[in-house]
Amino acid sequence: MNPKDYQLFKQYPLNGTATISTGEVPTPYHIYNGYGMFIGGLCDLGACRRLLQDESVVPVQTTDGHAVMGIWICNFTEASLGPHHELQFSFFVSNSEMEPIAPHPFCALSLMMTRPDVLMICHGLWNNTPEVVAYNRELLSLNARQTDSRIERDAHIVTFAFKDLASGKPIISGAVIDPQKASARATFVLMSRIGVGRSMTITQQPWLSMHITNPVGVLLNRNAVAETFTKNDVNVVRYFERSADVLTFGDTPYSSLQFTPHFVQYMDGFKFVYLHPK
């Protein structure tokens, strides 16, 4: 089956065009195929609050004083804007202070799957083509910058390295061993966290919906909300193995977060739609 024929893209088709600084582009944003990883965990709450001090949203916090954070590392091989890489630093936030949640290795996935009142703020974003950077900045109000990036995989490892193109400085690099190897223990713990009933409901859905908000000040002076929809052909979760996996931060504001990775979600056959913010 041609990935473009998937029902998600019939439900939310390319039904418009927009003119940005690089020329005319189709809308909305479609990803038809690709692979990537979502590395989720916890970070220092105070450092996160400082990064979000100009936003109208607040970080979801745990009872032991951490914020919930995730890093997306993706190689989109087929997309409406052409093949491209993406690096994204995200925080889980709400519109007002909410009760702290119990710390757990799968806080990020649990929030995505069970809390529709929680948003994900796309705080730091790098892409490796000028057109995608312009699209994300000028239409989606995301703080996208251009990267010189490398993402490679074979049967046993995914390696990656991102540098900021303008400064030449490293942003993040690393390697994840056997990301496609499922962890029965991780799957059981995650299902226990979100509940068997909710787990079954999610597996029966044609795609997963998530609300994403932009940082203030790129195009919009507010935290607007955009709907996104995701479907993966392969979706594997395992623990981040500190003895084997490597994650190295460059000298950016994100290095101050003291991020502790807890899990890796590996995705292949990636399908994604990002609607315009409202």
Side-chain angles (χ1 to χ4, degrees):
M1 179 181 178
N2 187 329
K4 294 182 180 180
D5 294 332
Y6 191 74
Q7 184 60 37
L8 174 62
F9 305 114
K10 296 178 180 179
Q11 183 78 21
Y12 302 99
L14 295 176
N15 56 6
T17 59
T19 301
I20 57 177
S21 57
T22 57
E24 188 175 85
V25 291
T27 62
Y29 178 86
H30 280 187
I31 302 296
Y32 304 113
N33 208 348
Y35 67 92
M37 297 179 296
F38 177 53
I39 303 175
L42 301 176
C43 68
D44 180 78
L45 178 61
C48 181
R49 285 192 183 278
R50 287 190 289 274
L51 284 181
L52 300 181
Q53 62 184 350
D54 295 327
E55 313 297 336
S56 62
V57 294
V58 294
V60 175
Q61 63 177 293
T62 61
T63 53
D64 63 351
H66 289 90
V68 185
M69 176 180 170
I71 302 171
W72 302 82
I73 299 160
C74 299
N75 182 359
F76 298 133
T77 56
E78 190 175 0
S80 56
L81 300 176
H84 59 278
H85 294 170
E86 179 156 308
L87 168 66
Q88 182 184 147
F89 295 92
S90 301
F91 303 106
F92 288 79
V93 299
S94 56
N95 288 314
S96 58
E97 292 282 355
M98 55 183 273
E99 264 319 291
I101 63 173
H104 191 275
F106 297 105
C107 279
L109 287 178
S110 176
L111 290 170
M112 290 174 70
M113 295 177 179
T114 65
R115 294 293 299 265
D117 57 327
V118 169
L119 307 170
M120 190 173 69
I121 184 168
C122 176
H123 191 270
L125 180 63
W126 280 265
N127 301 106
N128 67 334
T129 70
E131 187 171 59
V132 177
V133 170
Y135 188 105
N136 282 331
R137 292 190 69 87
E138 298 168 27
L139 295 182
L140 303 181
S141 195
L142 300 174
N143 189 23
R145 286 154 284 182
Q146 193 166 349
T147 179
D148 175 13
S149 56
R150 173 180 58 83
I151 306 175
E152 297 173 348
R153 68 172 176 175
D154 61 28
H156 300 291
I157 189 171
V158 175
T159 60
F160 53 90
F162 289 80
K163 293 182 180 180
D164 184 85
L165 188 65
S167 68
K169 294 182 178 180
I171 309 164
I172 200 168
S173 61
V176 174
I177 308 298
D178 290 330
Q180 303 178 54
K181 187 176 181 180
S183 167
R185 177 169 167 260
T187 301
F188 175 79
V189 171
L190 175 60
M191 290 185 65
S192 299
R193 172 74 173 183
I194 65 177
V196 175
R198 179 60 180 160
S199 299
M200 294 300 295
T201 299
I202 291 169
T203 59
Q204 293 169 2
Q205 291 175 340
W207 47 76
L208 180 67
S209 173
M210 182 71 193
H211 289 152
I212 297 179
T213 186
N214 56 276
V216 168
V218 179
L219 175 70
L220 302 172
N221 289 318
R222 60 188 176 89
N223 294 118
V225 176
E227 288 185 287
T228 70
F229 308 94
T230 307
K231 175 65 177 180
N232 306 315
D233 293 341
V234 175
N235 199 48
V236 174
V237 176
R238 71 160 178 79
Y239 289 104
F240 188 93
E241 299 290 348
R242 292 176 180 80
S243 61
D245 302 325
V246 178
L247 196 60
T248 303
F249 285 79
D251 185 15
T252 75
Y254 303 104
S255 64
S256 68
L257 289 163
Q258 301 176 48
F259 176 63
T260 301
H262 288 301
F263 70 85
V264 177
Q265 178 187 13
Y266 176 81
M267 303 159 287
D268 204 354
F270 197 95
K271 300 172 183 65
F272 181 70
V273 173
Y274 194 122
L275 303 183
H276 283 209
K278 296 181 180 179

